[in-house]
């Protein structure tokens, strides 16, 4: 029997590059850009968290090597972070372009909101995007401005 599992992934990253100003390609290639953590889940199983302090998940690599799908909301970001950072620094197996599936694009194709927040609301999902958590994560991902040192 063929494995029909899918993985969903989501990165949280940090960088001195401003994603909105430089765009996703330059952001993913910037030397200061790094992964803070990755949430990943197989099918409807509970979400697991990976951080750079640990080895790359072997079960995710096996899934990738077998050519099975990877889903992400706004998958272009995850694809480029995987290619430029996860593969080169952390031991992720290379993911072929045809393995990527974008849930934001799927939503747009069905005339639904592309944003995760808007999509959850439109579909009246029991779990909604945590906007307070999102604000805290954004604070963590941007470098703080230097403070003047006084003697």
């Amino acid at each position: 029997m063929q494995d029909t599992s899918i993985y969903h992934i989501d990165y949280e990253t940090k960088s001195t590059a401003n994603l909105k100003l430089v765009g996703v390609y330059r952001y993913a290639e910037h030397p200061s850009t790094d992964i803070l953590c990755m949430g990943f889940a197989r099918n409807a199983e509970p979400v697991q968290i990976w951080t750079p302090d640990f080895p790359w998940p072997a079960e995710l690599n096996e899934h990738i090597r077998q050519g099975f799908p990877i889903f992400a909301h706004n998958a272009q970001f995850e694809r480029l972070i995987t290619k430029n950072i996860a593969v080169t620094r952390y031991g992720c197996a290379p993911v072929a372009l045809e393995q990527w599936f974008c849930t934001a694009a799927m939503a747009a194709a069905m005339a639904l909101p592309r944003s995760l927040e808007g999509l959850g609301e439109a579909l009246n999902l029991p779990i909604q995007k945590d906007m307070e958590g999102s604000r805290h994560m954004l604070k963590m991902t941007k470098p703080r401005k230097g403070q003047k040192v006084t003697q």
Side-chain angles (χ1 to χ4, degrees):
M1 182 168 107
Q2 183 177 355
D3 184 353
T4 57
S5 68
I6 62 172
Y7 270 86
H8 298 267
I9 69 166
D10 180 43
Y11 292 116
E12 297 302 336
T13 61
K14 64 180 179 177
S15 183
T16 59
N18 184 322
L19 176 59
K20 290 181 180 180
L21 292 178
V22 303
V24 68
Y25 282 89
R26 287 180 54 203
Y27 180 88
E29 293 172 349
H30 196 275
S32 73
T33 302
D34 204 358
I35 299 169
L36 288 171
C37 65
M38 173 186 64
F40 65 104
R42 181 178 179 264
N43 299 328
E45 293 174 2
V47 174
Q48 299 179 64
I49 302 295
W50 170 86
T51 66
D53 300 327
F54 296 97
W56 191 262
E59 70 273 14
L60 180 55
N61 267 354
E62 184 58 29
H63 178 87
I64 291 167
R65 286 188 186 103
Q66 290 184 26
F68 295 127
I70 302 291
F71 281 72
H73 200 77
N74 206 6
Q76 182 74 326
F77 180 82
E78 269 69 24
R79 184 181 76 78
L80 292 170
I81 295 298
T82 298
K83 176 183 173 190
N84 291 303
I85 299 171
V87 170
T88 60
R89 297 182 200 169
Y90 299 114
C92 177
V95 184
L97 183 60
E98 60 271 10
Q99 287 177 261
W100 288 103
F101 291 86
C102 181
T103 56
M106 291 174 184
M110 293 183 266
L112 291 166
R114 280 193 42 142
S115 74
L116 199 53
E117 177 187 13
L119 184 58
E121 288 176 11
L123 295 175
N124 198 27
L125 296 176
I127 299 174
Q128 298 288 319
K129 181 170 181 173
D130 177 358
M131 295 310 292
E132 183 178 347
S134 181
R135 280 190 291 280
H136 288 298
M137 185 57 74
L138 285 174
K139 276 180 149 180
M140 291 175 33
T141 63
K142 295 177 183 170
R144 292 180 3 185
K145 292 184 179 181
Q147 295 182 0
K148 198 174 195 177
V149 177
T150 58
Q151 299 279 352

